[in-house]
Amino acid sequence: MTKRVVRPVTSSWVGFRTLLYKEVLRFWKVAFQTVMAPVLTALLFLLIFSHVLDRHVTVYGDIGYTTFLVPGLVMMSLLQNAFANSSSSLIQSKITGNIIFVLLPPISYRQFYTAYVTASIIRGLCVGAGVLLVSLPFVEVPLAHPEWALAFAVLGGGMLGSMGVIAGIWAEKFDQLAAFQNFLIMPLTMLSGVFYSIHSLPQVWQDVSHANPFFFMIDGFRYGFFGQSDVSPWLSLAVVTAGFVMLAALTLAMLARGYKLRN
Amino acid sequence: MSAVPAIRIEAVCKSFGSLKALAGVSLEIGQGEFFGLLGPNGAGKTTLISALAGLARADSGLIEVMGHDVVADYRNARLQLGVVPQELVFDPFFSVRELLRIQSGYFGISANDDWIDEILASLDLLGKADANMRSLSGGMKRRVLVAQALVHRPPVIVLDEPTAGVDVELRQGLWQFIRKLNQDGHTILLTTHYLEEAEALCGRIAMLKAGRIVALDTTQALLEQFAAHDLRVRVARPEVARALGGTVQAGGWVSFGFDTYADVEPLLARVRAADSGIEEIQLGEPDLERVFLEVMRRD
């Protein structure tokens, strides 16, 4: 007679929670690299640009350039780090082979997606909050509509976290991931109006900027601080929400198929 | 065997481009069995295990673990299965205990420290529980992989070459531990290149070649079916012994195959009568290595 193995009680929710916890712990254990370093980089941008331009440029009438710059830098850091979190975690796990420990358990592809993207949003928010905090001693920044700022921060982090999952799954080598980051994410971020209002651009470049979804994330986020923006915050919210939904759908479809993960 | 097999594999096919890794594999492993899956490199063992564990999707066919379809009912199927991977993979961010807690959580178990301590003690890892994985030796990392596969107390355990590259002492320790798991009711599916390991541990064995099962039987039956006993004599005049049907080997040894021990005495009598000058005698037991070579040669 075969003995029966006594099985413990299990919960699907615990599986999701643990994957999220692990992904947060992964970046938090190396917070010096994953949080402090991007905060320092943003601070250097702020000090250099504000020193050079603050006395020469005002935006939206009477807002000083340094004040204008802070929300853009916060959002840029948030977006880049949200992308970095999911993409680097996945590529490292794939290359070292330990992705197997996430693929063997009964974690659904929806839970997988939600855990990785939520961890990306959390890292993005940590870095963004860090940039904002270290900026405050240098410049006073209003916060006219915090709910708008938070909405764009979460949606933007979600978009970039999803892009990170896509890139992390697609890339087979670190240089492929670096190409994704350097030739797509970085230009879209830099040309999104982080450092300028698009009204200061010639018309043709204003039109080009409207094709960049990152512009709407930055502009909507900035509206949360100043109550003013280059385009209507509702338009930005619609574009960013639609972008997030489309990227989420694409990522979920890849995960459901097991694309490059279960082959 | 119980009514529901621990593992049921039916007509499973899987191709990678033009390469047919699995060409219609069917197999049933009963609950509580210690089953060996053997085959040369590229035979399809790892692909079959990957399909079983949900790491790859079969093109066609059916795979069930404890009655749960690995695709349609993957949650329950995966809860029943613990897999020890072939590669020494680990997450460098965490300690042994953190990894085991995380792995427990992935399987939906939130408070599992008592069982984790029990596994760590059984695998002689308690002293390294708080050490980072990077600081462990290869043998210890291998034991942590076994521990990770056991955190959710799966009734079916798959060991994909668990003793590859480990020293003799650790190999013996792992054998003992795996035997104990089997005695405690776990079904074991073992793949290995060490045929003496499969012979010592497995009650039944399947041999894969080019994605097909070419032999499937109890270990004893395979030994009886494919490998004869062997009488080896070292003689002064090998050419005389060869004339009696023996195979001449180096050092003056001549080998004669036989089926039962009753054949030995008449065989020796013939060698003596031929005046070949017997100097030394050895009896060889049939072993799985010879079975394996014979099966692979035939098919």
Side-chain angles (χ1 to χ4, degrees), chain A residues 165-184:
Chain A
V165 174
I166 292 169
I169 291 173
W170 167 79
E172 285 162 14
K173 298 183 286 185
F174 284 109
D175 65 331
Q176 288 176 332
L177 185 62
F180 201 100
Q181 196 154 17
N182 293 322
F183 293 97
L184 186 69

mmCIF file of all heavy atoms in Angstrom, chain A residues 165-184:
data_model
loop_
_atom_site.group_PDB
_atom_site.id
_atom_site.type_symbol
_atom_site.label_atom_id
_atom_site.label_comp_id
_atom_site.label_asym_id
_atom_site.label_seq_id
_atom_site.Cartn_x
_atom_site.Cartn_y
_atom_site.Cartn_z
ATOM 1 N N VAL A 165 8.875 44.336 -19.040
ATOM 2 C CA VAL A 165 8.560 42.897 -19.116
ATOM 3 C C VAL A 165 8.727 42.421 -20.562
ATOM 4 O O VAL A 165 9.342 41.382 -20.830
ATOM 5 C CB VAL A 165 7.131 42.608 -18.604
ATOM 6 C CG1 VAL A 165 6.757 41.148 -18.826
ATOM 7 C CG2 VAL A 165 7.010 42.951 -17.116
ATOM 8 N N ILE A 166 8.203 43.219 -21.506
ATOM 9 C CA ILE A 166 8.324 42.842 -22.929
ATOM 10 C C ILE A 166 9.802 42.728 -23.314
ATOM 11 O O ILE A 166 10.238 41.732 -23.909
ATOM 12 C CB ILE A 166 7.610 43.879 -23.831
ATOM 13 C CG1 ILE A 166 6.106 43.813 -23.600
ATOM 14 C CG2 ILE A 166 7.938 43.638 -25.304
ATOM 15 C CD1 ILE A 166 5.330 44.957 -24.240
ATOM 16 N N ALA A 167 10.582 43.770 -22.951
ATOM 17 C CA ALA A 167 11.999 43.770 -23.326
ATOM 18 C C ALA A 167 12.741 42.621 -22.634
ATOM 19 O O ALA A 167 13.580 41.954 -23.245
ATOM 20 C CB ALA A 167 12.629 45.108 -22.954
ATOM 21 N N GLY A 168 12.436 42.402 -21.368
ATOM 22 C CA GLY A 168 13.105 41.337 -20.611
ATOM 23 C C GLY A 168 12.806 39.960 -21.178
ATOM 24 O O GLY A 168 13.656 39.070 -21.167
ATOM 25 N N ILE A 169 11.601 39.770 -21.667
ATOM 26 C CA ILE A 169 11.240 38.473 -22.255
ATOM 27 C C ILE A 169 11.854 38.341 -23.654
ATOM 28 O O ILE A 169 12.401 37.299 -24.016
ATOM 29 C CB ILE A 169 9.705 38.325 -22.342
ATOM 30 C CG1 ILE A 169 9.109 38.203 -20.940
ATOM 31 C CG2 ILE A 169 9.320 37.105 -23.183
ATOM 32 C CD1 ILE A 169 7.601 38.229 -20.920
ATOM 33 N N TRP A 170 11.796 39.437 -24.420
ATOM 34 C CA TRP A 170 12.281 39.386 -25.806
ATOM 35 C C TRP A 170 13.804 39.253 -25.884
ATOM 36 O O TRP A 170 14.339 38.455 -26.645
ATOM 37 C CB TRP A 170 11.804 40.639 -26.558
ATOM 38 C CG TRP A 170 12.499 40.833 -27.856
ATOM 39 C CD1 TRP A 170 12.252 40.194 -29.024
ATOM 40 C CD2 TRP A 170 13.595 41.736 -28.117
ATOM 41 N NE1 TRP A 170 13.116 40.628 -29.994
ATOM 42 C CE2 TRP A 170 13.951 41.575 -29.462
ATOM 43 C CE3 TRP A 170 14.304 42.663 -27.333
ATOM 44 C CZ2 TRP A 170 14.989 42.295 -30.056
ATOM 45 C CZ3 TRP A 170 15.332 43.387 -27.917
ATOM 46 C CH2 TRP A 170 15.659 43.203 -29.259
ATOM 47 N N ALA A 171 14.504 40.036 -25.065
ATOM 48 C CA ALA A 171 15.971 40.066 -25.169
ATOM 49 C C ALA A 171 16.569 38.742 -24.718
ATOM 50 O O ALA A 171 16.125 38.148 -23.749
ATOM 51 C CB ALA A 171 16.518 41.210 -24.320
ATOM 52 N N GLU A 172 17.579 38.313 -25.456
ATOM 53 C CA GLU A 172 18.290 37.091 -25.066
ATOM 54 C C GLU A 172 19.676 37.403 -24.534
ATOM 55 O O GLU A 172 20.342 36.528 -23.982
ATOM 56 C CB GLU A 172 18.377 36.144 -26.267
ATOM 57 C CG GLU A 172 17.030 35.473 -26.522
ATOM 58 C CD GLU A 172 16.906 34.890 -27.906
ATOM 59 O OE1 GLU A 172 17.923 34.760 -28.594
ATOM 60 O OE2 GLU A 172 15.762 34.578 -28.297
ATOM 61 N N LYS A 173 20.113 38.652 -24.747
ATOM 62 C CA LYS A 173 21.443 39.068 -24.277
ATOM 63 C C LYS A 173 21.304 40.449 -23.671
ATOM 64 O O LYS A 173 20.382 41.199 -23.994
ATOM 65 C CB LYS A 173 22.421 39.124 -25.456
ATOM 66 C CG LYS A 173 22.636 37.796 -26.142
ATOM 67 C CD LYS A 173 23.676 37.902 -27.242
ATOM 68 C CE LYS A 173 23.150 38.619 -28.448
ATOM 69 N NZ LYS A 173 24.075 38.643 -29.574
ATOM 70 N N PHE A 174 22.275 40.791 -22.820
ATOM 71 C CA PHE A 174 22.221 42.102 -22.175
ATOM 72 C C PHE A 174 22.312 43.227 -23.197
ATOM 73 O O PHE A 174 21.719 44.287 -23.011
ATOM 74 C CB PHE A 174 23.346 42.234 -21.139
ATOM 75 C CG PHE A 174 23.056 41.482 -19.866
ATOM 76 C CD1 PHE A 174 23.755 40.341 -19.535
ATOM 77 C CD2 PHE A 174 22.077 41.928 -18.993
ATOM 78 C CE1 PHE A 174 23.484 39.645 -18.367
ATOM 79 C CE2 PHE A 174 21.787 41.242 -17.815
ATOM 80 C CZ PHE A 174 22.500 40.093 -17.511
ATOM 81 N N ASP A 175 23.061 43.012 -24.297
ATOM 82 C CA ASP A 175 23.202 44.127 -25.242
ATOM 83 C C ASP A 175 21.910 44.370 -26.019
ATOM 84 O O ASP A 175 21.645 45.487 -26.463
ATOM 85 C CB ASP A 175 24.413 43.950 -26.164
ATOM 86 C CG ASP A 175 24.274 42.768 -27.083
ATOM 87 O OD1 ASP A 175 23.587 41.819 -26.689
ATOM 88 O OD2 ASP A 175 24.852 42.789 -28.186
ATOM 89 N N GLN A 176 21.087 43.338 -26.178
ATOM 90 C CA GLN A 176 19.779 43.558 -26.818
ATOM 91 C C GLN A 176 18.897 44.425 -25.913
ATOM 92 O O GLN A 176 18.180 45.305 -26.386
ATOM 93 C CB GLN A 176 19.087 42.215 -27.088
ATOM 94 C CG GLN A 176 19.740 41.443 -28.223
ATOM 95 C CD GLN A 176 19.115 40.080 -28.430
ATOM 96 O OE1 GLN A 176 18.587 39.490 -27.495
ATOM 97 N NE2 GLN A 176 19.193 39.578 -29.651
ATOM 98 N N LEU A 177 18.991 44.150 -24.621
ATOM 99 C CA LEU A 177 18.214 44.952 -23.667
ATOM 100 C C LEU A 177 18.733 46.387 -23.644
ATOM 101 O O LEU A 177 17.952 47.351 -23.618
ATOM 102 C CB LEU A 177 18.311 44.328 -22.265
ATOM 103 C CG LEU A 177 17.454 44.992 -21.201
ATOM 104 C CD1 LEU A 177 15.987 44.887 -21.543
ATOM 105 C CD2 LEU A 177 17.719 44.373 -19.836
ATOM 106 N N ALA A 178 20.071 46.527 -23.689
ATOM 107 C CA ALA A 178 20.670 47.864 -23.688
ATOM 108 C C ALA A 178 20.225 48.632 -24.939
ATOM 109 O O ALA A 178 19.968 49.837 -24.872
ATOM 110 C CB ALA A 178 22.184 47.752 -23.639
ATOM 111 N N ALA A 179 20.120 47.929 -26.071
ATOM 112 C CA ALA A 179 19.674 48.582 -27.311
ATOM 113 C C ALA A 179 18.250 49.094 -27.139
ATOM 114 O O ALA A 179 17.917 50.230 -27.520
ATOM 115 C CB ALA A 179 19.755 47.600 -28.474
ATOM 116 N N PHE A 180 17.381 48.273 -26.572
ATOM 117 C CA PHE A 180 15.986 48.654 -26.301
ATOM 118 C C PHE A 180 15.961 49.925 -25.442
ATOM 119 O O PHE A 180 15.216 50.866 -25.708
ATOM 120 C CB PHE A 180 15.310 47.489 -25.560
ATOM 121 C CG PHE A 180 13.814 47.475 -25.646
ATOM 122 C CD1 PHE A 180 13.163 46.647 -26.540
ATOM 123 C CD2 PHE A 180 13.041 48.274 -24.814
ATOM 124 C CE1 PHE A 180 11.775 46.610 -26.610
ATOM 125 C CE2 PHE A 180 11.658 48.249 -24.879
ATOM 126 C CZ PHE A 180 11.020 47.405 -25.782
ATOM 127 N N GLN A 181 16.833 49.917 -24.422
ATOM 128 C CA GLN A 181 16.853 51.022 -23.470
ATOM 129 C C GLN A 181 17.434 52.293 -24.109
ATOM 130 O O GLN A 181 16.854 53.371 -23.980
ATOM 131 C CB GLN A 181 17.715 50.616 -22.269
ATOM 132 C CG GLN A 181 17.524 51.490 -21.061
ATOM 133 C CD GLN A 181 17.846 50.726 -19.784
ATOM 134 O OE1 GLN A 181 18.490 49.673 -19.813
ATOM 135 N NE2 GLN A 181 17.395 51.237 -18.672
ATOM 136 N N ASN A 182 18.558 52.132 -24.813
ATOM 137 C CA ASN A 182 19.275 53.302 -25.320
ATOM 138 C C ASN A 182 18.678 53.880 -26.607
ATOM 139 O O ASN A 182 18.800 55.070 -26.861
ATOM 140 C CB ASN A 182 20.751 52.955 -25.558
ATOM 141 C CG ASN A 182 21.446 52.675 -24.243
ATOM 142 O OD1 ASN A 182 21.171 53.324 -23.245
ATOM 143 N ND2 ASN A 182 22.317 51.685 -24.221
ATOM 144 N N PHE A 183 18.084 53.012 -27.425
ATOM 145 C CA PHE A 183 17.586 53.487 -28.714
ATOM 146 C C PHE A 183 16.063 53.711 -28.733
ATOM 147 O O PHE A 183 15.523 54.175 -29.710
ATOM 148 C CB PHE A 183 17.988 52.516 -29.833
ATOM 149 C CG PHE A 183 19.476 52.503 -30.061
ATOM 150 C CD1 PHE A 183 20.265 51.540 -29.476
ATOM 151 C CD2 PHE A 183 20.081 53.503 -30.825
ATOM 152 C CE1 PHE A 183 21.643 51.542 -29.658
ATOM 153 C CE2 PHE A 183 21.449 53.517 -31.013
ATOM 154 C CZ PHE A 183 22.244 52.533 -30.424
ATOM 155 N N LEU A 184 15.397 53.321 -27.683
ATOM 156 C CA LEU A 184 13.951 53.538 -27.649
ATOM 157 C C LEU A 184 13.544 54.345 -26.409
ATOM 158 O O LEU A 184 13.025 55.456 -26.518
ATOM 159 C CB LEU A 184 13.213 52.186 -27.690
ATOM 160 C CG LEU A 184 11.696 52.281 -27.802
ATOM 161 C CD1 LEU A 184 11.283 52.818 -29.159
ATOM 162 C CD2 LEU A 184 11.049 50.909 -27.588
#
